[in-house]
């Protein structure tokens, strides 16, 4: 496999951590942008059960936001990312009104362009989620994940990551409002032949608003935002130029409810505003099965 330059590696590093319902995925740098409607419409007072989900997105990096927010030519890469997630839902007899879940997420990443080919398993994430239901039609909770830097060399983020997120869901008739806001902190990044870097912390927010127009069909609106602080060169103590970034993206999609245990979601997102990041131009897919 051909090694890639540091600028392309930095782009992959944005994608590698993400994810999802209690996870983290990232398109064009926005963490956990893979969530969809009803992501956190979670039950309490249940018998233990399992869920498996496959999240994926494809992203074309033809455009980027420069340091002033102007759209310029991007790196020209084509990125495909998958997230295979297993979730074990459980409760404790002493806390029947509190839900718990353990999750494991395995990213699969491919970045391609002329002269560049990098692919492999990304850094896995694992962690716990806990939630309550303030009312019959609402959910509030907290999830925390650890990103472990053991993925393939070509696509690993090379850092340990801590992802903590406040999650919530509200059902109002046929309308579902689902979202999260979170904080990501990463360890020092060690790079062969280069100075160690302290990555900037990231804050993100993800919102989904769906309308159950039919028994099987639910169109929805999506909005995602992230802001990341500057990285610091650990040797010189100086700030890495143009390493702070932010982006706002919006889009829409359709959730297909085949049955209670099976659903499929499709969505398109596009970056509206940002700085020092590629412009989101991505299609998302998600399929879930519960048993």
């Amino acid at each position: 496999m051909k090694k890639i330059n540091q600028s392309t590696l930095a782009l992959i590093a944005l994608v590698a951590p993400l994810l999802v319902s209690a996870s983290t995925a990232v398109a064009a740098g926005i963490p956990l942008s893979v969530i969809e409607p009803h992501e956190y419409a979670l039950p309490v007072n249940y018998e233990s059960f399992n869920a498996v989900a496959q999240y994926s997105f494809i992203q074309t990096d033809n455009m980027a936001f420069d340091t002033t927010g102007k759209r310029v030519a991007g790196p020209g890469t084509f990125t495909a990312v998958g997230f295979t997630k297993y979730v074990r839902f459980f409760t404790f007899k002493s806390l029947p009104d509190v839900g718990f879940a353990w999750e494991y997420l395995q990213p699969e990443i491919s970045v391609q362009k002329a002269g560049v080919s990098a692919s492999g398993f990304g850094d896995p994430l694992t962690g716990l989620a806990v939630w309550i239901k303030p009312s019959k039609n609402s959910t509030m909770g907290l999830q925390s994940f650890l990103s472990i830097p053991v993925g393939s060399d070509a696509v690993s983020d090379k850092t340990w990551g801590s992802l903590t997120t406040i999650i919530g869901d509200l059902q109002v008739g046929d309308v579902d409002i689902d979202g999260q806001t979170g904080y990501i902190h990463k360890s020092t990044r060690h790079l062969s032949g280069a100075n160690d870097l302290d990555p900037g912390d990231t804050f993100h927010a993800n919102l989904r608003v769906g309308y159950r127009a039919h028994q099987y069909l639910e169109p929805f609106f999506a909005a995602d935002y992230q802001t990341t602080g500057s990285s610091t060169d650990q040797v010189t103590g100086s700030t890495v130029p143009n390493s702070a970034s932010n982006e706002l993206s919006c889009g829409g999609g359709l959730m297909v409810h085949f049955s209670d245990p099976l659903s499929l979601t499709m969505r398109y997102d596009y970056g509206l505003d940002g700085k020092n990041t590629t412009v989101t131009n991505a299609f998302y897919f998600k399929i879930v099965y519960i048993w």
Side-chain angles (χ1 to χ4, degrees), residues 27-28 57-61 77-80 278-284:
F57 70 83
I58 54 175
Q59 159 86 17
T60 56
D61 302 311
T77 47
F78 174 83
T79 302
T278 55
V279 175
T280 292
N281 183 22
F283 286 96
Y284 291 81

Side-chain angles (χ1 to χ4, degrees), residues 202-234:
T202 296
F203 294 89
H204 67 91
N206 315 89
L207 176 69
R208 306 290 180 263
V209 180
Y211 176 71
R212 193 71 172 264
H214 183 274
Q215 176 183 356
Y216 300 113
L217 303 178
E218 183 170 355
F220 65 94
F221 166 79
D224 298 277
Y225 176 76
Q226 72 86 15
T227 179
T228 299
S230 298
S231 297
T232 302
D233 187 312
Q234 209 174 49

